[in-house]
Amino acid sequence: MSENTIQAYAALEAGAALVPYQFDAGELQAHQVEVKVEYCGLCHSDVSVINNEWGNAVFPVVGGHEIIGTITQLGSEAKGLKVGQRVGIGWTAESCQYCDPCISGQQVLCTGEKQATIVGHAGGFANKVRAGWQWIIPLPEDLDPESAGPLLCGGITVFDPILKHQIQAVHHVGVIGIGGLGHMAIKLLKAWGCEITAFTSSLDKTDELKAMGADHVVNSRDANALKAQRGKFDLLLCTVNVTLDWKLYLNTLAPNGSIHMLGMVVEPMAIPAGNLISGAKSVTGSPTGSPFALRQLLQFAARKNIAPQIELYPMSKINDALERLHSGKARYRIVLKADF
Ligand SMILES: [Zn+2]
Ligand SMILES: [Zn+2]
């Protein structure tokens, strides 16, 4: 087996169970870095690509984009990294480095040639993975490598809007849907100092969510409970991917408040313009985050002792882990430990 052989778990066609899959990755390119995978989180987007729900999957699909590992090979152009260093890789593996968003440090919005880690590129359900050096994020020493992976996709997805909306400790933030993303949002906002309301349909999680940092827990399916929240929120982070009564949620915003979309709701949103105009409200959205925000997140998480709550599976049991994810019972993120 050459040093460029990668062992992985792949879906050979849409919706198929994952099977062991080996391929030759070829010579490492000058701008790339190769990482030996230690842990990889399991994200709903992995399932979306494996099932080709977005129509852009390239089979065989090797999923996995919440990767923690150590550097095994450095391309000649890679800067500021060293072999053996522990790092993370998230949703994006490469960006063009010369378009306006890239030049301005917003590489996640790259309009040139960009490469997602698991679309037409082999991700972290493998013993090794490769990415452009700018997307290799150094892991602070104090961060537990076993649970840090989910910060690289789920975590940054909820952290980036906290930065973009300039959320401060005096603000009241609502989190809609408390799964992998939502529970990380609560932990981050708690450390940020905000007042936090968790919206969930699983009220059996109430004590857990309060222990995590939620000040209030509201039943997301109870229209009267939602009406009672009128005018409260500076920001609502929507992590669910189903249609909600958007008018009702708009009414829960404080003046200048925003609903920020993170879940891929397929159906167009019905937004009454009057509700936006009267309180200067907005509906916004964002994908994951750029390398600088990722570095800030990992440093913040290390300093504030924030770790995603995970269930650990050996990577060889990846199909069991996927089933667990489907069941909706995982608390709150699944991480796979590479055992090749
Ligand atoms: Zn993801
Ligand atoms: Zn670019």
Side-chain angles (χ1 to χ4, degrees):
M1 208 182 293
S2 100
E3 64 166 358
N4 294 322
T5 303
I6 292 183
Q7 293 171 272
Y9 292 97
L12 301 181
E13 57 183 23
L18 305 194
V19 293
Y21 172 72
Q22 187 173 308
F23 63 97
D24 182 354
E27 287 294 309
L28 188 75
Q29 294 175 46
H31 67 285
Q32 287 182 326
V33 173
E34 185 179 80
V35 171
K36 179 178 190 291
V37 178
E38 295 175 284
Y39 300 97
C40 187
L42 194 49
C43 172
H44 283 277
S45 302
D46 292 313
V47 177
S48 297
V49 176
I50 287 167
N51 292 342
N52 199 18
E53 287 163 24
W54 303 330
N56 61 350
V58 182
F59 292 90
V61 165
V62 178
H65 59 276
E66 292 184 340
I67 301 157
I68 299 293
T70 53
I71 295 176
T72 47
Q73 282 194 75
L74 281 176
S76 58
E77 292 169 10
K79 305 274 198 307
L81 298 163
K82 55 181 195 289
V83 169
Q85 185 177 358
R86 188 173 267 146
V87 295
I89 301 171
W91 175 259
T92 308
E94 303 198 4
S95 50
C96 81
Q97 318 297 3
Y98 62 82
C99 72
D100 287 347
C102 278
I103 288 293
S104 69
Q106 302 177 81
Q107 294 94 331
V108 73
L109 303 179
C110 175
T111 53
E113 308 93 62
K114 68 176 161 188
Q115 178 62 63
T117 303
I118 64 167
V119 181
H121 180 277
F125 301 158
N127 65 339
K128 289 183 284 186
V129 65
R130 293 172 173 191
W133 67 270
Q134 290 201 348
W135 287 96
I136 302 288
I137 313 300
L139 207 72
E141 297 250 321
D142 305 348
L143 214 50
D144 171 23
E146 186 175 281
S147 59
L151 294 171
L152 273 298
C153 177
I156 189 64
T157 299
V158 294
F159 184 68
D160 206 58
I162 298 173
L163 300 176
K164 293 275 160 58
H165 283 278
Q166 300 183 312
I167 291 303
Q168 300 167 18
V170 291
H171 289 142
H172 190 170
V173 180
V175 182
I176 306 171
I178 313 298
L181 268 64
H183 98 283
M184 283 187 264
I186 291 174
K187 290 183 172 215
L188 290 164
L189 289 162
K190 174 71 178 172
W192 212 256
C194 297
E195 184 175 358
I196 306 161
T197 295
F199 290 91
T200 178
S201 55
S202 319
L203 288 182
D204 57 312
K205 292 179 184 169
T206 297
D207 291 345
E208 246 177 275
L209 301 186
K210 289 199 166 167
M212 229 174 248
D215 298 289
H216 321 280
V217 177
V218 172
N219 184 348
S220 57
R221 291 194 178 151
D222 179 349
N224 285 328
L226 292 179
K227 282 179 188 151
Q229 306 300 311
R230 195 177 177 88
K232 283 191 179 171
F233 302 105
D234 300 290
L235 179 66
L236 276 175
L237 294 174
C238 181
T239 75
V240 300
N241 60 4
V242 294
T243 290
L244 301 174
D245 185 337
W246 302 117
K247 189 178 165 193
L248 214 49
Y249 277 97
L250 275 174
N251 289 339
T252 71
L253 292 179
N256 298 307
S258 302
I259 296 183
H260 194 90
M261 300 302 297
L262 301 168
M264 202 75 95
V265 181
V266 178
E267 202 181 349
M269 298 169 74
I271 304 290
N275 293 49
L276 295 181
I277 293 167
S278 58
K281 296 168 182 176
S282 58
V283 180
T284 54
S286 59
T288 53
S290 295
F292 180 53
L294 279 160
R295 291 181 186 206
Q296 286 182 311
L297 168 59
L298 296 192
Q299 286 160 19
F300 180 70
R303 185 160 55 83
K304 294 289 188 179
N305 237 327
I306 298 168
Q309 187 176 323
I310 64 155
E311 295 180 3
L312 195 65
Y313 280 74
M315 203 172 279
S316 53
K317 298 275 183 213
I318 192 164
N319 288 307
D320 295 347
L322 282 165
E323 216 164 281
R324 176 76 177 161
L325 180 69
H326 282 304
S327 78
K329 289 182 185 144
R331 293 286 185 275
Y332 281 83
R333 200 63 153 181
I334 293 169
V335 169
L336 304 163
K337 182 178 166 66
D339 59 343
F340 290 91

